[in-house]
Amino acid sequence: MVIVEGVPAYLYLDEEYIAHHLGRRQRGYGRGGRQQIERDHAHIQTGVRHGYTLGSPIGMLIENRDWSQEGRNQRVTRIRPGHADLPGAMKYGFHDVRNSLERASARETAARVAAGAVAMKLLEEFGIKLHSHVLSIGRVKANPPDQGAIDWDAVEESPVHCADSDVADQMMAEVDAAREAGDTVGGVVEVIAEGVPIGLGSHVHWDRKIDAKISQALMSINAVKAVSIGEGWDLLDRWGSEFQDVIEPWQRKTNRAGGTEGGMTSGTPLVARFVIKPIATLHNPLPSVDLDTGEPVQAHFERSDVCQAPPAGVIGEAMMALVLADAFMEKFGGDSIPETKRNFEGYQATVGPRLRYS
Ligand SMILES: Cc1cc2nc3c(=O)[nH]c(=O)nc-3n(C[C@H](O)[C@H](O)[C@H](O)COP(=O)(O)O)c2cc1C
């Protein structure tokens, strides 16, 4: 069950729109057998009438088919390193690792994508659009065009969700090589929000800084190990004059800072990158310990993905959308879309014409 609160009334919302994003999360080269079993669909239960939101919490139900498969309810004691297995069992006193294994599974990201789709729909009303693409898988790095020149339809078609079609085959070969070796491979993903107004977030409250909120949201995705805003990781070898996005009479020609300054959106596209680690469940399992006996064993193996970088971008979009929608409603408020639009347009009339990004 997913519950989304804070959405104003009169937002048109249908299950097909949410299903579209859930379907994007299920695809991608390197996914395992579970995606053949699941048929993700969020059934809207509350908060929507005749296709429009009511301002009340939106409740959605997504079925889990996998649990009914053969063996999926069996007790697990062979702890898998790199998962919630060991700390989960110790923290809650579980004798069955499955109690934490299932809840910690990235299956829960289907719920995030459904909630994120509602946030995206809200943001679209105000001209904000989100995208993502894969920058690297294992040792294969993409050389994508500038953000404004990316063909997003082609990225959607790419099995590795990559904007550089020249390296897509190499990325798939990297996944195949890992699979054949009984191993796994991670990657780097970029999430972009276009059309974001200037001034979301806060330079006054540390806990409302938009870059900090986005980082926390992306870091919370299962297996994410590093987050950067804009060119954050690449700035170490630059001097100050080479890094800042110079302001010209109401436009910027660069976006190295990734669309934030002082904890607020700066009017340029929001850009964040994250590193997702190689999956910890290996076909050639790692050495571990049995929870019952304390004896050395090989870690438990269960049907698993080989690479999750392509779907991780879709989850990243959802997480960024949730943060942006929150910050947007905090700034503009309103109980209905027309009311929020009046507030937004009043603000844009004072700042909008003053800044362009090219
Ligand atoms: C989209 C997605 C799919 C994933 N699929 C798997 C999987 O099939 N098998 C697996 O062991 N881990 C998978 N993971 C990673 C685990 O959920 C994650 O590594 C684990 O919960 C431990 O979390 P941590 O690495 O953040 O500490 C996936 C992660 C994501 C984002």
Side-chain angles (χ1 to χ4, degrees), residues 31 82-83 104 106 222-223 225 276-277 279 281 304-305 308 315:
R31 287 295 242 166
H83 278 283
N222 316 44
K225 293 295 153 212
I276 193 145
K277 79 176 183 185
I279 279 173
T281 305
S304 192
D305 298 332
Q308 81 288 45
I315 303 160

Side-chain angles (χ1 to χ4, degrees), residues 100-154:
S100 37
L101 176 161
E102 295 292 352
R103 185 58 186 84
S105 159
R107 176 70 188 141
E108 59 103 334
T109 60
R112 300 192 200 201
V113 169
V118 177
M120 276 185 211
K121 193 75 178 55
L122 173 70
L123 295 169
E124 277 174 15
E125 286 285 323
F126 300 91
I128 302 170
K129 281 214 141 234
L130 286 105
H131 304 283
S132 64
H133 61 121
V134 169
L135 286 173
S136 70
I137 287 183
R139 290 156 296 179
V140 184
K141 290 187 175 42
N143 186 17
D146 286 346
Q147 175 239 313
I150 293 178
D151 176 350
W152 293 114
D153 291 335

